[in-house]
Amino acid sequence: MQSALSELRELRHAPEIRSLRERATDFRPVWTGFPLRGRRIALAAAAVLISFLGVISWFVISGPGDPLESRDLGADTLRTAIGERATFSLEDGTTIVMNTNTQLMLEFSTSERRIALRQGQAMFNVTEDSESPFVVIAGNHRVVAVGTVFEVRFEGADVRVTLVEGTVDVAPIGKDVWNGGDPMRLLAGQRLTADPEGKALPNIQFVDLEQATLWQAGRVYFKDTPLSEAVAEMNRYSTLEIALDDNSLKHIRVNGMFESGRQLNFANALEVYFPVRAVRKSSDLIVLQSN
């Protein structure tokens, strides 16, 4: 399904499809004088899309999701609430996609475009400017990029930097840190995970970028993930918290893709596939018990 979705996304850039979209937004008849080849491609795309959505409906429990809101930059401090995602556009052309419960501060100067990520997760699509480097400070780490797409997540336990394209240098701030403070350069597809203080050498590994960036589409992906970690990840997106009542449950391994913020759907799926019972204790708490 992910492969089919990627193909559909690519198809939207076809000249014929772009022309159809422009005609539709101009409120003019779409088919008048349009080449036969364009009609066939458009009809084929529509057929594939309808079929794909039909398949999706069998696998994904749908509901009124929270759309990725696009906003203009209006303050030096940017925030998203729990369960909210938002896109902000900066004056230099850079865009920032912020995930749930994220806070960052803009600290731009004439020589440096600096952002302090206080907490949460954000994707940065940076406009290149060799005279003004783009810097993200997270914990005790400094991420420097020029014309790059990368993600930073900082939530106390560790700092994670995932490079989607381009180049970034990650370095700890201070003297008593790994490599004496020398930066580490990431390649596209690599993720660096380090402790917030930068004391120990970070871990760098390649990741599946499509899965790593699913949060932008309101999805959470688990692959052989301990239930305790899966629950913690789902709790990031909702004020309805899920808790484990039995420590033996935390070793259950979860696989699959779920809608972020859909706590009841997630709990119901666990009941179907594992010896788990979900008990609603209050308006803001679901407890998982051994069945």
Side-chain angles (χ1 to χ4, degrees), residues 132-202:
S132 180
F134 190 91
V135 178
V136 176
I137 304 297
N140 199 36
H141 294 78
R142 175 183 173 93
V143 185
V144 182
V146 178
T148 302
V149 180
F150 67 100
E151 172 193 295
V152 182
R153 177 171 172 175
F154 174 45
E155 293 182 332
D158 54 38
V159 174
R160 294 191 333 194
V161 181
T162 305
L163 181 60
V164 178
E165 62 180 61
T167 304
V168 296
D169 290 329
V170 184
I173 302 172
K175 297 180 179 179
D176 185 22
V177 291
W178 47 265
N179 274 10
D182 292 336
M184 287 190 174
R185 176 157 292 184
L186 298 185
L187 302 175
Q190 285 186 326
R191 170 181 289 162
L192 179 146
T193 304
D195 70 280
E197 298 301 321
K199 303 295 185 181
L201 279 172

Side-chain angles (χ1 to χ4, degrees), residues 26-102:
D26 286 341
F27 299 99
R28 293 199 297 264
V30 173
W31 302 111
T32 304
F34 200 74
L36 179 60
R37 179 170 175 266
R39 301 183 196 180
R40 289 174 177 171
I41 291 179
L43 290 173
V48 172
L49 179 59
I50 291 171
S51 299
F52 177 74
L53 293 177
V55 173
I56 284 287
S57 66
W58 284 95
F59 290 93
V60 179
I61 302 175
S62 62
D66 299 322
L68 191 62
E69 182 179 354
S70 180
R71 305 177 182 177
D72 292 327
L73 179 62
D76 291 335
T77 301
L78 308 179
R79 296 184 179 88
T80 54
I82 295 176
E84 180 187 18
R85 300 188 316 280
T87 298
F88 295 90
S89 300
L90 308 187
E91 292 181 356
D92 66 347
T94 295
T95 59
I96 304 174
V97 183
M98 296 173 59
N99 201 2
T100 177
N101 195 25
T102 296

Side-chain angles (χ1 to χ4, degrees), residues 98 102-105 115-122 124 136-139 152-154:
M98 296 173 59
T102 296
Q103 177 181 336
L104 56 81
M105 296 184 65
I115 289 182
L117 180 63
R118 302 303 187 191
Q119 67 177 35
Q121 183 177 20
F124 303 91
V136 176
I137 304 297
V152 182
R153 177 171 172 175
F154 174 45

